[in-house]
Amino acid sequence: MRFYIHILLFLLVGLSYSQTKQVVIIKHKYDFQTEPDAYNINNMFKGILLAEGFDVYFDDEELPLFVAQNRCNAINGVMLDKSNVFVTKLKFVLKDCQNKILFESAEVKSKEKNIQNGYIEALKLLSPELKKYNSTLVQKKDVVQIPSGVVSSSIAKCQYVQITNGFAIMDASLKVVLQIYNTTNPTIFIADKFGVKGIFTKIENKGIFEYYKNDKLVVEEYLF
């Protein structure tokens, strides 16, 4: 039992961290560069990502434990250089751990003759492109993706009352159907459904209760 508690706490820490900021891993040296951070491209790219609210790491530095143990807890930022002798052209792509493209920026250009200045100007133009990606995240934040093969169900509209260290969730007849307990993340709770324990995530006016039954993941959606 203690083992499962430790696993649950580890998941909660990872979820708490990842929901606060999305982790992006970028290279210290891309294929078009002759040395790490040539023309200060990589540090500038990192700074732009940080300014847009991401948690950013170079691929050659120490990663957070929950990312090091599962790289799918982070996304990869890829910089592409399409420059020629007349113009500096850059774009970036964000990919998940399975190399699926999550976002592809428009190509930005600079006609600065000085190479360093050209990269600086082009990189500055990438910041608005990142805002586009952040907008797509906001639009998707209330969408819960249920993986194939997972048992899922929706529970009729409920209400909840505060109890010691958490809340009791009640159905329309005011019968308690689930109890949830606080964690360090205000949107994530340890849940108990008559001895069945799992994780409860609060998203706006709905909650998602996840637990295992007969070695199969069960996902229940509660509406408030």
Side-chain angles (χ1 to χ4, degrees), residues 152 155 222:
S152 63
I155 309 299
Y222 292 76

Side-chain angles (χ1 to χ4, degrees), residues 114-167:
N114 180 278
I115 296 177
Q116 177 73 68
N117 292 339
Y119 278 123
I120 291 173
E121 184 176 281
L123 282 162
K124 287 180 179 178
L125 295 174
L126 286 178
S127 184
E129 291 298 309
L130 272 169
K131 285 181 170 59
K132 294 179 185 178
Y133 176 65
N134 271 336
S135 296
T136 64
L137 290 182
V138 171
Q139 293 169 5
K140 294 178 180 178
K141 72 174 183 177
D142 292 335
V143 178
V144 178
Q145 301 291 338
I146 306 298
S148 59
V150 173
V151 178
S152 63
S153 61
S154 295
I155 309 299
K157 194 166 185 179
C158 301
Q159 57 181 299
Y160 54 91
V161 296
Q162 191 163 6
I163 59 175
T164 304
N165 298 322
F167 300 89

Side-chain angles (χ1 to χ4, degrees), residues 8-38:
L8 180 60
L9 289 174
F10 173 78
L11 289 172
L12 288 171
V13 170
L15 284 169
S16 173
Y17 191 94
S18 62
Q19 285 195 1
T20 304
K21 287 187 177 182
Q22 187 164 26
V23 177
V24 181
I25 299 173
I26 65 174
K27 288 189 175 183
H28 221 158
K29 176 183 175 297
Y30 288 106
D31 293 340
F32 62 87
Q33 294 176 294
T34 57
E35 60 183 19
D37 199 32

Side-chain angles (χ1 to χ4, degrees), residues 199-210:
I199 298 174
F200 187 92
T201 307
K202 185 75 165 60
I203 308 172
E204 298 295 338
N205 64 337
K206 70 176 64 174
I208 304 299
F209 177 39
E210 301 175 75

